[in-house]
Amino acid sequence: MFLPLLLAVLWGGSGAWNPSFQLKVQELVSVQEGLCVAVPCSIISYPRRQWTDSTPAYGSWYKDLTDTDVDLPVATNKPNQEVQTDTQGRFQLLGNLSRSCSLLIRDAHTEDSAAYFFRLERGPYVRYNFKEYKFHLEVTALTQKPEIYMPETLEPGRQQTLICVFHGRFEDCPGPSLSWTGAAFSSDGAGPRASHFSALRLTPTPRDHGTELTCRADFSRKGLSTENTVRLNVGYAPRNLVISVSWSNVSAPEPQGDSPRLEAQKGQFLRLHCTAESVPPATLSWALEDRVLSWSHPSDSRTLELVLPGVKAEDAGRYTCRAENRFGSEGRSLELSVQYAPENLRVTVSQANRTVLENFGNGTSILALEGQSLRLLCVTHSNPPARLSWTRAGQTLTPSQLADPGLLELPQIQTEQDGEFTCRAQNALGSQNLSLSLSVVYPPQLLGPSCSWEDGGLHCSCSSRARPAPSLRWRLGEGLLDGNLSNASVKVTSSSAGPWANSSLRLGEGLSSGLSLSCEAQNIHGAQSATVLLPPDEKGLVSKAFTSGIFLGIGLTTLLSLCLVLILVKTLRKRWTQTDVPAPAPAPAPAPGENPRSRISRRNTILDYINVIPSTGPLAQKRNAKPRGPSQAPPPDGHSLEPRKNQKELHFVPHSCPGPKSFTQAPESENNPGELHYAVLNFPGPRPWESQGPTASHSEYAAVQFH
């Protein structure tokens, strides 16, 4: 901004710089000699003084450092105004000067290089030289050439059109004179033509390949011209396609020859080369079967390389190299065979109905239910094909089908078939083994329970065998005893080892008659249980005889026979008291399986055994005794629990009873060591009259016998 002000002061003009006159013009304009250029210019503002809209505006362009009062402009729109001779017809003012002051320069000469400023005249006041707004014209040597448009490759024998274009920036610029020269055509019809483009129709022949073709542009001034030369490409389809093979990264490829097969071992280095002759250069591609692996661009090398640094089994197949251009194509194939030892060995396990369960790898454990049918199919990948065989414990198994030695059928699996099965695949290059561990699973098999009276309590044990190992639990009445527990009245101890599970139960308190004791075993494949009824309750009488003593609940409707029993007991106790015979030591418990009666003698004064044969009287259903163990109360009807599904029912009869310390009686019996401590009570059945009338339902016992 300061430079135009300074130049206006130094160079002078129509007057000092006036800020009300503003102009916008491109400061530097460059053009090649002989060409055309437009200088954009616009008038921003000037004073509206002493002129109207009808007042004409005149503009002129002057070379810098000229006097507008004396020197001629290079271009103007002022009527009858002369211009300089060397710019006449070449410099032209564009627009109507209302806002535009653009300048068009045709056929630029080297001498035109200079600085130019604009002068505006409108009315008597507006006469202003915009010397502070100048542009500098730079004319350079002619380097622009005409452009030739033609197919990259000419098809021989087919007429085609070639176009030569010399690009001009404006339509008002005159075009040069274009002409064609070359050995591929006659000059007839290809003479000079003044235009921005020229078309040439050409029918090439194969001998025209590689010849030159020139388009020349001549301008108005003599000796000023420019030209462009191209080389003709007359094309043909690909031919002479060759595949070469290299087995290392440094060795030169060797032609494959006519053999269509190639063998390689897995992991080997392999490089395949493909070359072909064609014009234009063909697009080369490598494909495996129908899948394209790589391709080349026509501008790339005429050789396409496919490298397999480590040949894999999946690389086997038909490889095809194809060369293609727009005139045709050519291809060649070879079959690659990859040899390798057995690999990817696996076993497909299915049921007899051929329902596939899963594919298993080495070291897999297979769970099979006893009695289930399985088919084991061993498969592998190898080249050449591998021989398959099955072994178990070092013994070769006979294949299910001779035509398919990899198939092993197990029609009905037994626990004896537990173990390792091995499939072996072998060929000339190596072998591979795959082992499966067959684990036969089965539901629980219950052993027990077995019970005995020992050490003042009831001892029961139960065992079960299953795979997976079962879980054992006890059920006392409706109560569930699970895991390990211990308290004053009950103790449960459980353990497991391998397929076996063991559990022991000890009850130290009294039980109600008809109360069921069950041992239950279960795993995910099933369950089994066995029930013990304590004690045998065939006639429904409630009895309670365990380590804590004897308690017989008869009820308020006790018959006269019970009263007689109590009188006889009291009489005998008095007689024994008078004799002062000391009480003997408690007799030891009988061995398992020993008859308790065999150990009774006249010296026994301690109750060792009680045998209660239940009656069917109503009092059996109204007992007052309650269980003292950890289980829940028995069912209200006083009968044993109904056996559940898959249960065994065992009736347990005690063969040994607790000693005197666990005997509970009236207080006076505790202070009298000579009282009766042994009795056998037999209740064979109701009296004959009890079944004849309703009153018989109230009698509880038919007879009482003492020994």
Side-chain angles (χ1 to χ4, degrees), residues 313-614:
E314 53 268 26
D315 293 333
R318 180 171 52 88
Y319 285 81
T320 301
C321 177
R322 179 169 296 276
E324 184 176 3
N325 63 14
R326 63 189 181 91
F327 299 115
S329 64
E330 186 178 6
R332 186 176 176 185
S333 300
L334 61 84
E335 193 75 22
L336 177 62
S337 175
V338 180
Q339 297 184 342
Y340 55 98
E343 60 183 24
N344 296 331
L345 187 63
R346 66 188 186 279
V347 173
T348 300
V349 180
S350 61
Q351 295 176 343
N353 58 2
R354 298 178 182 262
T355 300
V356 176
L357 301 180
E358 192 173 352
N359 290 327
F360 293 94
N362 192 33
T364 305
S365 179
I366 303 176
L367 298 179
L369 190 62
E370 186 178 16
Q372 183 181 7
S373 298
L374 289 182
R375 302 173 78 251
L376 307 180
L377 179 61
C378 184
V379 293
T380 185
H381 296 291
S382 64
N383 188 22
R387 298 184 302 274
L388 299 174
S389 62
W390 279 98
T391 59
R392 180 177 182 270
Q395 303 254 342
T396 302
L397 304 178
T398 302
S400 304
Q401 300 177 13
L402 295 178
D404 190 359
L407 177 62
L408 179 63
E409 292 185 336
L410 304 175
Q412 191 171 12
I413 297 176
Q414 303 298 324
T415 55
E416 295 79 10
Q417 292 177 312
D418 242 31
E420 188 175 79
F421 289 79
T422 301
C423 175
R424 180 178 178 85
Q426 184 175 13
N427 67 3
L429 299 178
S431 63
Q432 188 176 21
N433 295 338
L434 186 149
S435 296
L436 300 177
S437 178
L438 179 63
S439 298
V440 182
V441 296
Y442 48 90
Q445 301 170 358
L446 193 63
L447 301 180
S450 62
C451 299
S452 64
W453 299 108
E454 299 176 7
D455 300 331
L458 176 65
H459 292 258
C460 296
S461 62
C462 186
S463 299
S464 178
R465 182 174 185 267
R467 180 176 289 172
S471 61
L472 282 178
R473 61 184 183 178
W474 296 90
R475 188 180 295 276
L476 184 61
E478 294 299 323
L480 185 64
L481 307 178
D482 197 0
N484 293 313
L485 61 91
S486 178
N487 55 39
S489 58
V490 63
K491 180 177 181 180
V492 177
T493 304
S494 300
S495 63
S496 63
W500 286 95
N502 305 293
S503 184
S504 63
L505 171 68
R506 182 184 184 279
L507 295 177
E509 297 289 341
L511 297 176
S512 297
S513 68
L515 187 64
S516 63
L517 176 63
S518 301
C519 177
E520 301 177 354
Q522 65 177 359
N523 66 4
I524 61 174
H525 301 293
Q528 192 177 25
S529 65
T531 301
V532 176
L533 299 181
L534 299 175
D537 197 5
E538 298 177 356
K539 295 185 179 181
L541 177 65
V542 177
S543 65
K544 184 177 181 181
F546 292 101
T547 58
S548 60
I550 303 173
F551 180 83
L552 299 176
I554 306 299
L556 297 178
T557 59
T558 305
L559 299 177
L560 180 60
S561 59
L562 181 60
C563 296
L564 295 177
V565 171
L566 296 177
I567 293 173
L568 291 175
V569 170
K570 185 174 183 181
T571 301
L572 292 175
R573 183 178 58 187
K574 290 181 178 181
R575 291 180 180 179
W576 289 335
T577 304
Q578 295 173 359
T579 59
D580 295 329
V581 177
E594 179 184 357
N595 188 352
R597 295 178 181 270
S598 65
R599 304 190 58 171
I600 301 175
S601 67
R602 291 183 180 273
R603 291 179 300 171
N604 291 126
T605 59
I606 300 173
L607 179 62
D608 291 326
Y609 181 80
I610 179 169
N611 180 18
V612 181
I613 303 177

Side-chain angles (χ1 to χ4, degrees), residues 39 286 304 388 501 604 618 633:
V39 182
W286 275 107
L304 181 61
L388 299 174
N604 291 126

Side-chain angles (χ1 to χ4, degrees), residues 121-155:
E121 296 180 4
R122 193 169 191 180
Y125 178 79
V126 178
R127 293 178 179 272
Y128 190 77
N129 295 333
F130 292 87
K131 290 187 175 182
E132 63 275 16
Y133 303 100
K134 301 176 183 178
F135 79 89
H136 187 273
L137 179 64
E138 182 180 22
V139 181
T140 61
L142 180 60
T143 58
Q144 182 177 339
K145 295 181 178 181
E147 295 185 13
I148 299 176
Y149 295 92
M150 58 180 293
E152 185 177 356
T153 303
L154 301 175
E155 186 175 355

Side-chain angles (χ1 to χ4, degrees), residues 150-156 158 160 162 184 202 204-213 230-236 278-281 302 326-327:
M150 58 180 293
E152 185 177 356
T153 303
L154 301 175
E155 186 175 355
R158 181 179 178 182
Q160 297 175 70
L162 287 67
L202 178 66
T205 62
R207 66 175 180 271
D208 295 329
H209 177 70
T211 61
E212 293 182 346
L213 180 67
V230 295
R231 190 175 296 274
L232 298 181
N233 286 326
V234 181
Y236 55 90
S278 65
V279 174
R302 298 190 179 187
R326 63 189 181 91
F327 299 115

